Amino acid sequence: MNRKRSGKRLTKGMAVLVTSVAMVFVIPAVGLSIDAGMLYAVKAKLSAASDAAALAAARSLNVGLTIDEQRANAIATAQRFFRANFPVNYMGTRNSSVSVVVDESQLKVRTVFSTASPDAPTYIMKFLGFGDTTVRAEGKASRRD
């Protein structure tokens, strides 16, 4: 009988030990999955906003008398559409910017490229030393003159 009691004493604290060792791996895995999900949500919204900006700019390329006026109007339109679809501080993002380039890619075909990038925060992984993450998305639209 003494053997059974001594065996139970040895296994009595094993659950606490195994759980504490497992938590070292479980907490970072859960944090990574939550933060990755948030980053994918930001990326999806950013991609939609960048595409909307490029499409709106391409549609507005005919407004203006000169090519420079048309380009300036298209860039202003793209920035307005981007801000309408990706508001400032969306899901805690900071430093969001969009860059729009209008280029004549072929004869009588103008292409609008929009590149957007905000800094997205990490919510749980910041406790493990991982800071903000820069997310990027690009949009492209073409228009034949």
Side-chain angles (χ1 to χ4, degrees), residues 40-102:
Y40 278 120
V42 169
K43 171 81 172 179
K45 184 78 167 176
L46 185 68
S47 180
S50 184
D51 288 341
L55 286 170
R59 288 187 63 128
S60 69
L61 277 173
N62 62 348
V63 177
L65 297 176
T66 65
I67 291 179
D68 291 332
E69 286 178 6
Q70 292 173 354
R71 181 175 286 129
N73 186 38
I75 290 171
T77 302
Q79 290 174 345
R80 275 196 327 270
F81 268 74
F82 177 77
R83 284 291 164 227
N85 288 292
F86 194 84
V88 177
N89 295 331
Y90 175 75
M91 292 182 74
T93 58
R94 292 182 295 279
N95 304 329
S96 63
S97 64
V98 61
S99 125
V100 180
V101 176
V102 179

Side-chain angles (χ1 to χ4, degrees), residues 8 12 14 17 19 39 44 51 65 69 103-104 116 121-122:
K8 284 184 181 180
K12 206 171 190 178
M14 288 303 288
L17 181 65
T19 303
L39 289 175
D51 288 341
L65 297 176
E69 286 178 6
D103 190 24
E104 188 168 349
T122 55

